[in-house]
Amino acid sequence: MARRRKRKATPKSRNSVFQPPGTISYVGLEREGNVATETICYDETFYQKYENIHLVSDESEQVNWFNIEGVHDIELLEQLGKDFDLHHLLVEDIANTTQRPKTEFFDNCIYQCIKMISYDAKQHELNEEQVSIVLKNNSVITFQEKTGDVFENIRERIETSRGRIRSSKNDYLFYALIDSIIDHYFIAVEQIGEYLNDLEDEIFEEPDKESLNKVQRNKRLLLALRRAIYPLRESISKLLKEQSHLIDPKIVTYFHDAYDHCIQITETIESYREINTGLKDMYLSSVSHKMNQIMQVLTIMSSIFIPLTFLAGIYGMNFEHIPELSWEDGYQYFWIMSGGIFIVLLTFFKWKKWL
């Protein structure tokens, strides 16, 4: 099956919400372009890669990985659903890129919906893409929203026969794809942690309004990350609890490891959310402390000039008989007295540690 023609993706219309169950309609960001397809067939001694969907018989003992990059071509999805004998509800979920991560068991396959995440450190943005992974008797089918993924390491391991992937069946490939996505969660979470550390230093040293905006944006980012990862823990748990002839019991052990990673990432995200909440409190405290310092200086300066203003007020009164007015050096005495008061008050404030 060759690459399909150029087709424009459009968001799901309001009317499509009321369509019958199983009606396939694309839901997601507007996309246009060719849908790229790829097939990798292998076993312990054989490897072949095709730049299209290369269908094989169900009796084939080789592992077949079919990868489709782009789910906006509804005609192609419907055809693939027929070719791979996929349930129409499953195909509908593949076309809906707003799905919650989940695992569903069908008579002839297992469907895993998962979010593939990458973090843009320059823009401080989270790039999220839905990946649908279907496990069948002799094949694994992956559906991605767009070109580009985190599976290059798996492709390289298959091509060079590195590790145990070539000597394992399709259920191990199914696990390896899920594990690769989860591993990249750690990279994103680690980068976000570094951003939090830098933001903490910025708020502590020189907080401004932009710092508070960064805290708010980080709150939304962590919430989006939590929505993508938190349901995955339940999904992996379902794979562990429900037995299926498609997954060898020996492979279940690997899913235990993936489940532990999900818990670790979830706990890290929760701790980051608490840290981010603490950064907001730190910002408010820093701004309040800075304002208190400013008010302290202004209050001290006002306190110093209060007695000087008192003296100037006395000698500024419109009276004829003021004893000091007849002093020849009265003006100099006034400034000496004012300077002395200033020095005495300044020394007193420093002694009291108000400065």
Side-chain angles (χ1 to χ4, degrees), residues 5-119:
R5 64 187 182 279
K6 184 176 180 180
R7 185 179 180 89
K8 185 176 181 180
T10 55
K12 186 175 183 179
S13 65
R14 181 175 297 181
N15 293 333
S16 63
V17 177
F18 304 101
Q19 292 180 354
T23 302
I24 302 174
S25 56
Y26 174 72
V27 183
L29 298 177
E30 186 173 354
R31 301 188 187 279
E32 59 181 8
N34 293 332
V35 175
T37 59
E38 176 187 59
T39 303
I40 295 178
C41 304
Y42 67 90
D43 58 23
E44 196 167 1
T45 60
F46 173 80
Y47 169 81
Q48 184 65 50
K49 180 178 179 180
Y50 305 92
E51 295 298 329
N52 51 45
I53 298 298
H54 183 76
L55 297 177
V56 295
S57 64
D58 294 336
E59 288 77 19
S60 173
E61 296 183 358
Q62 297 172 351
V63 177
N64 306 286
W65 176 15
F66 305 98
N67 184 48
I68 298 93
E69 297 178 345
V71 295
H72 51 272
D73 192 334
I74 301 304
E75 294 180 7
L76 177 60
L77 282 184
E78 290 176 342
Q79 184 61 46
L80 290 173
K82 294 178 182 178
D83 293 339
F84 293 114
D85 190 24
L86 303 179
H87 198 281
H88 60 276
L89 290 177
L90 189 156
V91 180
E92 181 186 11
D93 287 343
I94 293 173
N96 184 357
T97 62
T98 62
Q99 292 286 333
R100 186 174 185 264
K102 62 179 180 179
T103 301
E104 291 186 351
F105 290 81
F106 293 87
D107 293 337
N108 63 341
C109 66
I110 299 176
Y111 170 62
Q112 176 67 55
C113 177
I114 188 171
K115 299 294 182 181
M116 184 164 57
I117 289 175
S118 62
Y119 174 72

Side-chain angles (χ1 to χ4, degrees), residues 74-226:
I74 301 304
E75 294 180 7
L76 177 60
L77 282 184
E78 290 176 342
Q79 184 61 46
L80 290 173
K82 294 178 182 178
D83 293 339
F84 293 114
D85 190 24
L86 303 179
H87 198 281
H88 60 276
L89 290 177
L90 189 156
V91 180
E92 181 186 11
D93 287 343
I94 293 173
N96 184 357
T97 62
T98 62
Q99 292 286 333
R100 186 174 185 264
K102 62 179 180 179
T103 301
E104 291 186 351
F105 290 81
F106 293 87
D107 293 337
N108 63 341
C109 66
I110 299 176
Y111 170 62
Q112 176 67 55
C113 177
I114 188 171
K115 299 294 182 181
M116 184 164 57
I117 289 175
S118 62
Y119 174 72
D120 187 346
K122 292 183 179 180
Q123 300 295 329
H124 187 51
E125 292 179 349
L126 203 64
N127 299 316
E128 183 179 308
E129 176 186 352
Q130 177 171 300
V131 178
S132 298
I133 307 176
V134 181
L135 173 65
K136 291 178 63 66
N137 284 326
N138 64 341
S139 62
V140 175
I141 314 166
T142 53
F143 296 87
Q144 305 179 43
E145 289 186 54
K146 55 186 179 181
T147 303
D149 52 40
V150 298
F151 302 143
E152 285 304 319
N153 181 50
I154 297 178
R155 293 185 179 94
E156 189 270 336
R157 285 159 54 191
I158 294 174
E159 183 176 1
T160 60
S161 189
R162 182 166 56 88
R164 67 180 66 198
I165 193 166
R166 286 275 291 271
S167 59
S168 302
K169 298 298 183 181
N170 58 330
D171 51 357
Y172 184 84
L173 174 62
F174 180 70
Y175 154 76
L177 295 171
I178 296 175
D179 183 65
S180 179
I181 294 176
I182 294 176
D183 286 344
H184 277 76
Y185 290 165
F186 282 101
I187 299 175
V189 169
E190 182 180 355
Q191 291 175 323
I192 293 173
E194 294 175 356
Y195 178 85
L196 281 173
N197 291 333
D198 295 338
L199 185 57
E200 183 178 14
D201 294 338
E202 176 184 323
I203 292 176
F204 182 78
E205 294 174 358
E206 194 64 33
D208 54 18
K209 188 175 181 180
E210 182 59 26
S211 300
L212 185 60
N213 293 335
K214 290 179 180 178
V215 171
Q216 189 62 26
R217 288 198 300 268
N218 207 50
K219 176 183 177 182
R220 291 193 293 267
L221 185 143
L222 288 171
L223 184 60
L225 190 62
R226 184 180 186 274

Side-chain angles (χ1 to χ4, degrees), residues 271-289:
S271 65
Y272 283 173
R273 294 182 67 193
E274 294 179 3
I275 292 173
N276 194 69
T277 302
L279 289 180
K280 183 176 181 180
D281 296 336
M282 179 187 291
Y283 169 81
L284 296 176
S285 299
S286 298
V287 171
S288 177
H289 177 68

Side-chain angles (χ1 to χ4, degrees), residues 257-276:
D257 183 66
Y259 180 76
D260 292 339
H261 288 170
C262 288
I263 294 179
Q264 182 179 350
I265 295 171
T266 303
E267 291 176 348
T268 304
I269 293 174
E270 292 301 327
S271 65
Y272 283 173
R273 294 182 67 193
E274 294 179 3
I275 292 173
N276 194 69

